[in-house]
Amino acid sequence: MPTWFQTTAIDYPNSRPHIGTAFEKLGADVQARYRRMEGYDVFFLMGNDENTAKVSRQAARLGLDPQTYCNDMARQFRSVWDALDISYDVFIQTSSERHKQCCRKFIQKVYDNGYIYKGSYEGWYCPECEEFKTQKQYDDSGGLCPNHRLALVRRTEPCYYFKLSAFQDRLLQHYQQHPDFIQPESRRNEIISLIQTEGLRDVNISRLGEDWGIRIPFDPEFTIYVWFDALLTYITGIGYGDDESTFRKYWPADVHFIGKDITRFHCALWPAMLWAAGEQAPRRVFAHGFVYVKNEESGVVEKISKSLGNVIEPMEVISKFSSEAFRYYFLRECPYPSDGEFSWSRFAEVYNAELANNLGNLLSRCVNLIVKNYEGVLSWAEGPLPQAVVASGELPEFVERVRQQVESFHYHLALQAILRELLTPTNQYLEAQAPWKLVRTDAAAAAQVLGRAVESLRVAAILLKPFLPRTAATLYHSFDFTEPWEQVRYATAAQPPVSGRQRRVIAPLQDGKLKPLFPRIDLSEANLHT
RNA sequence: GGCGGGGUAGCUCAGCGGUUAGAGCAGUCGCUUCAUAAGCGAUGUGUCGUGGGUUCGAUUCCCACCCCCGCUACCA
């Protein structure tokens, strides 16, 4: 059984996740679900990045000790991920004792291998934030802290450096030999040009005088600074340091899903850290885009931020509509490798046009026609078995196209194909054949027509399974397809169903009718703005 | 400033040397009524960012300029 190990970025628990954070997890979840379907032994890792000064300060503000605060935030994060049906296997908290121990083993190893040395770091420091600011931040804000508007001071402190510079050539060579290591390609080009034009400097991986965090084993006055701790969840989460066999089974990771803003840490620093400890680099890093919020009144597209007051929490959308609608919107409307936008009006448009009118209504019309005219059972004793209606070419080729899009993380294109090449053509086919008329003169022919529509729904259910796990199951279980739902894979969609000559509606009915799969959203009722 | 990507219908985008520049959504008009007031069909006078140039011919190639976005090192 092939393994598939994937991770998402671990999040700072300074505040609860917003829709942008969820976008990343969603894209990762589709991949995890797809790989499970296809027979991989999947390990899907997520977690929170807790060992930061900001976390301990936020906890202090709330009068909590950091651990209590972190545990509570972790619980809140997980409840959001659960509500979205994110199918992670393990959720790591970096404040956990296990992570800390494994982390210390790693850094000790890198130290023993000679890639860590003591030096001093000089930079612009904000005493209020208790952290260093970048030169760019200094320049942009005229030497003031962007948060506190206090003058930044020049500060020097002893620290430990990781010899990132030693891996420059090896990294470039690695990118050369593994062209799809960094995706999408635009990010790859950025990283390569960064290294080629500016080179890599050694990085400070320690902090002095922090209570909260992981002590450096060879000098306990220091704690490990974020990246050198956070990135390690990707291996401590699968047993690095205390469960060698699990670690060897899953490492190297098949893909790290991250935001485009942290590409460099994952594509340069992380492989170098691993090499310094004698481990392999991950196979692939996928940097997705961001979600922006379109202001409903002004039409201005804004970055999601607390100060702009435009933060939308996933639970807000889920409780108004559903997790499936949430998943569909972001997977369909926001191209995973690029940026996307959210607005309530666009949400309603996409939902109505595609989920309610196209998919949901197709199921309704099929089920109701079969129930009314055939007492819920279609049979076709003679002739060819009904085939799904696809726009062009053969069904297997269509399924293959969708598969390609899923495997390359182009989820919006996969969903677009399902819609345009399968569902819409099926609606068109019904219109052209008009089985509601045909049944009066030739019931057998009408049964063939409906059989083809039902076949389209079967194919759609299977292809949609990674995207909309609940909807896909409901669709599939509306009919008596005999292949067990747990065992279907993409290849199943391309083959005719095992049970050939009869198809029964088994969807629950109310007063002889099917309850809408996705009830339309009425914009005029607009309870959208909270 | 440097490097990279982009500016095409109201919106999101495809096209990237050649007949009258395309798709989806939204809008408008029909048809239909099996279905969630759903479905189907028809419907666009768009300076293809601006100005030059190459060419028989440019949205598509070259140059300049304007505008937007990303990266430019320790800020998920």
Side-chain angles (χ1 to χ4, degrees), chain A residues 123-374:
Chain A
W124 297 106
Y125 185 85
C126 171
E128 225 25 61
C129 295
E130 297 180 43
E131 65 185 23
F132 286 99
K133 302 291 174 183
T134 64
Q135 186 63 42
K136 190 188 174 199
Q137 282 176 319
Y138 179 89
D139 293 341
D140 288 352
S141 61
L144 301 177
C145 167
N147 301 328
H148 298 93
R149 310 190 68 195
L150 289 170
L152 294 170
V153 297
R154 203 68 188 163
R155 172 160 163 164
T156 304
E157 80 175 27
C159 72
Y160 283 92
Y161 277 102
F162 170 61
K163 276 193 197 171
L164 180 58
S165 58
F167 295 94
Q168 196 163 309
D169 295 338
R170 187 166 172 188
L171 280 165
L172 285 172
Q173 197 184 358
H174 188 74
Y175 305 150
Q176 203 71 44
Q177 288 169 207
H178 306 275
D180 56 0
F181 172 63
I182 307 173
Q183 290 184 340
E185 207 175 298
S186 53
R187 299 291 153 210
R188 176 174 187 265
N189 296 340
E190 275 177 12
I191 297 293
I192 291 174
S193 95
L194 173 77
I195 297 180
Q196 283 177 340
T197 61
E198 303 195 31
L200 291 170
R201 298 203 285 273
D202 294 343
V203 292
N204 176 5
I205 56 163
S206 68
R207 278 296 113 107
L208 189 57
E210 294 287 344
D211 295 329
W212 179 247
I214 305 176
R215 302 264 149 225
I216 290 182
F218 45 86
D219 194 343
E221 267 189 89
F222 291 85
T223 52
I224 300 175
Y225 183 56
V226 285
W227 286 109
F228 216 87
D229 150 11
L231 289 165
L232 291 176
T233 53
Y234 301 148
I235 56 173
T236 66
I238 51 170
Y240 178 88
D242 66 0
D243 181 356
E244 189 67 9
S245 68
T246 303
F247 175 64
R248 291 297 157 209
K249 179 178 171 190
Y250 290 106
W251 194 258
D254 292 278
V255 57
H256 293 308
F257 291 99
I258 59 161
K260 62 184 182 181
D261 54 333
I262 52 175
T263 311
R264 201 181 54 236
F265 301 105
H266 285 77
C267 297
L269 176 60
W270 179 225
M273 282 168 62
L274 287 159
W275 290 332
E279 302 295 343
Q280 285 180 272
R283 292 189 212 283
R284 185 157 39 175
V285 175
F286 182 86
H288 67 255
F290 285 159
V291 173
Y292 294 90
V293 172
K294 187 166 189 174
N295 188 302
E296 218 78 45
E297 281 92 50
S298 64
V300 174
V301 177
E302 301 165 334
K303 196 165 184 170
I304 297 173
S305 85
K306 266 196 247 178
S307 51
L308 284 171
N310 61 4
V311 174
I312 297 169
E313 294 197 13
M315 291 310 276
E316 199 180 338
V317 184
I318 295 169
S319 59
K320 279 179 182 141
F321 304 102
S322 66
S323 63
E324 298 282 289
F326 186 103
R327 292 175 66 103
Y328 189 81
Y329 180 84
F330 289 98
L331 293 168
R332 169 75 179 101
E333 193 60 13
C334 305
Y336 202 47
S338 320
D339 297 333
E341 287 172 23
F342 177 87
S343 74
W344 290 104
S345 54
R346 185 67 191 145
F347 183 90
E349 265 176 28
V350 170
Y351 176 101
N352 282 340
E354 303 189 350
L355 290 178
N357 298 352
N358 200 321
L359 174 63
N361 186 52
L362 178 61
L363 175 67
S364 291
R365 62 201 307 209
C366 288
V367 165
N368 290 323
L369 279 167
I370 296 169
V371 169
K372 264 194 203 170
N373 297 297
Y374 299 89

